[in-house]
């Protein structure tokens, strides 16, 4: 056991529901169990680089449990080791701000840093760890694509948002006899599409792990038509692609210059392809950031609280260089080097895929 006097916490990457539950749990556990001070770094690693921070107290984390987003702010840009910014003349330049970040950590007198983030944020945390910073990570992303943990918090709330959207699209699809497509997030993993598709009774689910064949998609639609069902609901993950085709990217020229790769538009792309082959109207809805925002469901609040409390316990035991993880029903610690850049995809032998096909859902294969 080490005596925790002052710990820092930062939230990096895309926001999601449940981050505030984590911030609250870390703050309360550190203060109530260890009489420690808690410093919140603002806007992800920017807080460390530029020294932006605030003290977190029992008072400041009051009432934030049901609040979406993160009270500390976040960014999914700004890697301290390769910080890209404009030089004022339209050119992008890159800086290594890691020494500044290490200096802030020292100046604030922190014993430990708790980093809440997805794959990119955790990889950076690992780099800092190798430079001697005592770090514990907490997995966060709606994509549920992190190795080493069964679930990330934020995912279940996103699935619920997508499921609610599918429920609504069923009614318009049925009323107008249309093909309704819902594009959901998830980067290169199909977890949100798959779980929401099953929960929301989609007729076709298309995920990145199974490049779809348009003929098979049309076959599912025709089969349903033959059975007298004159509408279809399709959920497609943003990272999905047609067999032999590419991912669909939606980004500005500035984002390309900054090295950002943003997925989006595959649903509209599919709508165009289907519309050319069927005498029905086809519509696409992009759910976008509604999946990340808003009140966390109870699962994500409970998971966030458990992970936050566990991370403080791990810090007090000096177990740095680890991510706290859920291996149902337990929480455990996973060394950061085991995660390095690995993304968890839907496995080809997934029981979820078998269940989907068993109940007649088309997977485009
Ligand atoms: O990783 C979370 C996520 O929402 C992905 O599902 C999505 O591809 C990406 O972030 C979108 O990022 P941004 O908020 O930068 O558009």
């Amino acid at each position: 056991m080490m005596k925790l006097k002052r710990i820092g916490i930062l939230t990096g990457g895309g926001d999601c529901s449940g981050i505030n539950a984590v911030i609250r749990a870390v703050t309360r556990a550190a203060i109530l169990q260890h009489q420690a001070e808690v410093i919140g770094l603002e806007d992800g690693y920017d807080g460390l680089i530029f020294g932006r921070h605030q003290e977190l107290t029992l008072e400041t984390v009051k009432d934030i449990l049901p609040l979406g987003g993160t009270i500390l702010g976040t960014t999914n840009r700004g890697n301290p080791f390769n910080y890209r910014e404009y030089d004022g003349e339209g050119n992008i330049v890159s800086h290594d701000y890691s020494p500044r970040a290490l200096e802030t950590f020292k100046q604030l007198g922190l014993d430990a840093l708790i980093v809440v983030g997805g794959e990119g944020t955790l990889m950076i945390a690992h780099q800092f760890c190798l430079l001697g910073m005592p770090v514990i990570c907490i997995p966060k992303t709606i994509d549920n694509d992190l190795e080493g943990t069964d679930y990330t918090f934020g995912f279940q709330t996103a699935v619920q948002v997508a499921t609610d959207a599918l429920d609504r699209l069923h009614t318009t699809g049925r009323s107008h006899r249309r093909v309704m497509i819902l594009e959901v997030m998830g980067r290169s993993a199909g977890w949100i599409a798959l779980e929401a598709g099953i929960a929301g009774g989609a007729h076709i689910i298309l995920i990145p792990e199974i490049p779809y064949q348009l003929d098979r998609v049309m076959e599912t639609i025709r089969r349903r038509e033959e059975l007298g069902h004159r509408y279809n609901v399709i959920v497609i993950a943003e990272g999905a692609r047609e067999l032999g085709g590419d991912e669909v990217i939606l980004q500005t020229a500035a984002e390309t210059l900054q090295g950002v790769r943003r997925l989006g538009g595959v649903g509209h792309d599919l709508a165009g392809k289907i519309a050319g082959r069927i005498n029905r109207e086809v519509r696409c809805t992009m759910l976008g950031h509604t999946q990340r925002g808003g009140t966390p469901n109870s699962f994500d609040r409970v998971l966030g609280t458990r992970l936050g409390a566990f991370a403080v316990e791990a810090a007090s035991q000096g177990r740095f260089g680890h991510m706290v993880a859920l291996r149902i029903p337990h929480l455990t610690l996973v060394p950061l080097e085991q995660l390095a850049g690995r993304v968890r995809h839907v496995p080809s032998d997934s029981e979820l895929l078998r269940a989907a096909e068993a109940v007649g859902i088309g997977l485009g294969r």
Side-chain angles (χ1 to χ4, degrees), residues 14-15 76-77 140-143 145 184-188 192 238 255 260-263 288-289 292:
D15 69 332
N76 50 9
R77 315 278 185 265
K140 164 233 64 121
T141 168
I142 62 164
D143 305 333
D145 63 351
V184 297
M185 285 185 165
R187 299 203 305 168
S188 64
I192 299 177
E238 63 179 0
E255 283 173 324
V260 173
R261 198 160 176 279
R262 193 148 57 85
L263 294 165
H289 295 87
R292 295 217 311 238

Side-chain angles (χ1 to χ4, degrees), residues 2-120:
M2 65 180 263
K3 175 75 190 133
L4 286 179
K5 290 196 289 292
R6 216 166 193 229
I7 68 169
I9 175 170
L10 69 79
T11 58
D15 69 332
C16 74
S17 300
I19 307 183
N20 287 326
V22 175
I23 296 173
R24 173 179 176 271
V26 166
T27 304
R28 291 184 65 86
I31 294 173
L32 297 176
Q33 304 307 321
H34 301 275
Q35 296 73 50
E37 284 177 334
V38 185
I39 301 297
L41 281 313
E42 294 173 1
D43 310 327
Y45 290 108
D46 276 11
L48 267 188
I49 297 171
F50 304 110
R52 290 200 295 270
H53 60 90
Q54 54 178 276
E55 184 172 355
L56 296 173
T57 62
L58 296 180
E59 192 56 33
T60 51
V61 300
K62 210 168 116 225
D63 299 332
I64 65 170
L65 190 56
L67 209 65
T70 159
I71 58 163
L72 292 176
T74 188
T75 171
N76 50 9
R77 315 278 185 265
N79 176 350
F81 293 89
N82 178 19
Y83 201 95
R84 295 159 77 92
E85 51 192 350
Y86 283 106
D87 64 357
E89 290 171 14
N91 308 306
I92 296 277
V93 286
S94 167
H95 301 283
D96 179 2
Y97 282 147
S98 59
R100 281 171 73 156
L102 288 163
E103 190 49 36
T104 307
F105 181 87
K106 220 167 92 191
Q107 273 180 10
L108 288 173
L110 301 176
D111 307 314
L113 179 68
I114 294 184
V115 172
V116 187
E119 182 229 340

Side-chain angles (χ1 to χ4, degrees), residues 122 167 241 247 306 329 338 356:
L122 300 198
D167 287 348
R241 61 186 168 90
E247 286 175 335
R306 288 175 72 190
Q338 280 181 18

Side-chain angles (χ1 to χ4, degrees), residues 48 73 100 105 152 168 170 173 177 219 278-279 339 364:
L48 267 188
R100 281 171 73 156
F105 181 87
T152 52
R168 290 170 191 279
H170 270 279
R177 324 287 189 205
E219 218 174 281
I278 189 175
N279 287 318
L339 307 173

